[in-house]
Amino acid sequence: MQKIVHITNDLQRLGGVQRLLVDLMTLQNNDFKFEVILTRGKNEYINELKALGVEVFHKRDLGFFGVIKRLNAADLVHTHLYPSIYIAYFTNTPTIVTEHNPHYRRRDIPFVKTLESVIYKKFKKIICISEGVKTKFLESIKASSSKTYVINNGVNLERFSQMPKTLSTDTKVINIGMVGRFAPQKDIKTLLKLMTLLDERFVLNLAGDGELRSEYEAYALSLGVSNKVKFLGQVNDIPTFLDSLHIYIQSSHWEGFGIAVVEAMAAGLPSFATNVKGLNNVVVEQGLFEVGDTHTLADKINTLVNDANYYNDQSVAALKKAASFSIKNTAITHTQIYKSLLNNV
């Protein structure tokens, strides 16, 4: 069986890239032998990957040359994120790369842009997780559009209820939620401001952690909404968390795709998201709001919760939208690309 090595930063549970890799390897496990090399983070999918027979190695244990040795022993290398793309440049093995975000701040530096234009010439295929990511990538990096493909991210829908939700207009507590790391990419402050505009029925549940947590906690306190916000830290059981919510909001400054919001829709949650590339083709149009526009978002939420029929309609619409982003389709397309390269080696 031919071996494919994924090289990426980490396998933490809150990351969309990480969830995607585990789901793909699960579905492709009968077609290929997989191995994962992590450049700097930890593996929080130990049990799942062990059950699949997928070995996970850490750069800190192997060293740079040890990593290259393992990459050279593979039939195909699939690289993700920085600095993995730089490391994979030095392997002799055919390599493909996935672009997971529409914007990387390092590419604002002209030298880095030029350097990566050279590095990307080596890769056999460049996969972008959405049309928005592809557009931004080709604007930023001088790469061949003929070897650049869009494969939309997918979600293992079977992990979620896939059942429509109902909401009574006299519900005493309405749980709003979001899943994501507390990092500059996510616009958590808009959600905290939102809570100043919603009445006492609403509680904001934040499943995530990161370097900005203390800043957000202080900001919630300054706005006087601490009693309406729950900072839950890392939540490993996302399906159960989503089942506890009535509304999902993905508030981001940018996204490559938005796996978290697709998962929420698969759980039947009426969902809102910022109108940015990577999200605006995922969420139903009625669910979009501009970055930072808390007043429009508050109006949309109040309209939703004050009409039980409309709430149910939006739940059904969310389920229908989520169904078009099945991980099975994503896996099939990846397998086709893998085999096309492996058969030509």
Side-chain angles (χ1 to χ4, degrees):
M1 191 177 288
Q2 292 168 302
K3 183 196 286 186
I4 298 172
V5 176
H6 286 287
I7 176 168
T8 188
N9 293 355
D10 61 64
L11 284 173
Q12 295 187 46
R13 287 190 178 274
L14 276 177
V17 178
Q18 295 84 344
R19 180 75 256 174
L20 174 68
L21 291 190
V22 174
D23 285 344
L24 284 177
M25 288 187 288
T26 300
L27 289 173
Q28 297 175 298
N29 200 44
N30 291 329
D31 296 308
F32 310 102
K33 178 177 175 57
F34 286 104
E35 186 174 293
V36 179
I37 297 176
L38 304 181
T39 59
R40 56 191 183 195
K42 56 185 177 179
N43 174 19
E44 295 178 350
Y45 286 95
I46 293 173
N47 294 333
E48 291 95 324
L49 294 179
K50 188 175 181 180
L52 292 172
V54 176
E55 289 188 278
V56 179
F57 299 90
H58 295 264
K59 178 177 174 288
R60 65 173 180 265
D61 300 323
L62 298 174
F64 176 80
F65 292 107
V67 170
I68 299 304
K69 184 177 179 180
R70 296 210 72 86
L71 297 181
N72 285 344
D75 295 296
L76 184 68
V77 171
H78 192 164
T79 184
H80 313 260
L81 306 174
Y82 171 89
S84 301
I85 58 170
Y86 285 42
I87 296 171
Y89 178 77
F90 293 96
T91 181
N92 298 321
T93 304
T95 303
I96 65 176
V97 59
T98 293
E99 288 290 294
H100 292 277
N101 278 298
H103 177 256
Y104 293 103
R105 284 176 291 176
R106 68 180 186 273
R107 289 179 185 160
D108 293 334
I109 304 169
F111 170 75
V112 172
K113 239 172 139 173
T114 302
L115 175 63
E116 294 197 359
S117 292
V118 173
I119 288 173
Y120 275 72
K121 284 184 171 64
K122 172 197 168 58
F123 300 137
K124 301 295 185 183
K125 306 280 185 185
I126 300 164
I127 297 172
C128 299
I129 65 170
S130 69
E131 286 290 348
V133 169
K134 179 181 176 181
T135 299
K136 289 295 185 181
F137 170 74
L138 291 175
E139 287 175 0
S140 178
I141 299 296
K142 291 180 180 178
S144 169
S145 59
S146 64
K147 66 176 185 180
T148 306
Y149 300 79
V150 174
I151 304 179
N152 282 323
N153 268 5
V155 167
N156 181 359
L157 301 176
E158 294 172 4
R159 295 176 60 228
F160 304 94
S161 70
Q162 299 183 76
M163 296 292 291
K165 281 183 168 282
T166 59
L167 180 69
S168 170
T169 54
D170 60 0
T171 299
K172 297 292 189 292
V173 177
I174 300 173
N175 284 307
I176 297 172
M178 176 170 158
V179 177
R181 294 181 183 179
F182 292 171
Q185 177 183 355
K186 312 299 182 184
D187 185 17
I188 303 297
K189 285 189 174 181
T190 286
L191 295 185
L192 298 175
K193 287 180 190 175
L194 171 70
M195 299 311 293
T196 67
L197 302 177
L198 298 176
D199 63 44
E200 295 305 315
R201 292 176 297 168
F202 294 89
V203 176
L204 176 61
N205 301 266
L206 296 172
D209 216 335
E211 68 268 26
L212 297 179
R213 177 168 177 166
S214 59
E215 179 181 328
Y216 294 150
E217 288 175 334
Y219 189 62
L221 190 63
S222 73
L223 294 174
V225 297
S226 291
N227 62 320
K228 300 167 66 176
V229 180
K230 294 181 180 179
F231 290 91
L232 302 174
Q234 180 166 313
V235 174
N236 291 329
D237 188 350
I238 296 299
T240 298
F241 170 70
L242 293 174
D243 285 341
S244 74
L245 303 179
H246 301 100
I247 297 168
Y248 186 87
I249 306 174
Q250 189 69 38
S251 182
S252 304
H253 292 292
W254 72 87
E255 286 285 351
F257 175 76
I259 282 182
V261 72
V262 176
E263 291 181 339
M265 293 190 299
L269 288 170
S271 298
F272 298 92
T274 40
N275 187 16
V276 297
K277 287 185 184 299
L279 288 177
N280 55 15
N281 67 327
V282 174
V283 176
V284 294
E285 187 176 351
Q286 300 94 313
L288 294 173
F289 65 97
E290 299 304 320
V291 176
D293 188 356
T294 52
H295 289 278
T296 297
L297 180 56
D299 289 344
K300 286 176 177 283
I301 289 171
N302 283 318
T303 298
L304 180 73
V305 301
N306 291 326
D307 185 334
N309 290 330
Y310 180 59
Y311 179 93
N312 183 252
D313 288 345
Q314 290 307 298
S315 175
V316 171
L319 288 168
K320 184 177 179 181
K321 191 76 170 177
S324 63
F325 297 111
S326 169
I327 189 65
K328 292 179 181 178
N329 297 330
T330 307
I332 288 169
T333 314
H334 275 84
T335 296
Q336 290 170 345
I337 285 183
Y338 290 166
K339 288 184 175 180
S340 72
L341 286 171
L342 290 166
N343 292 336
N344 290 323
V345 173

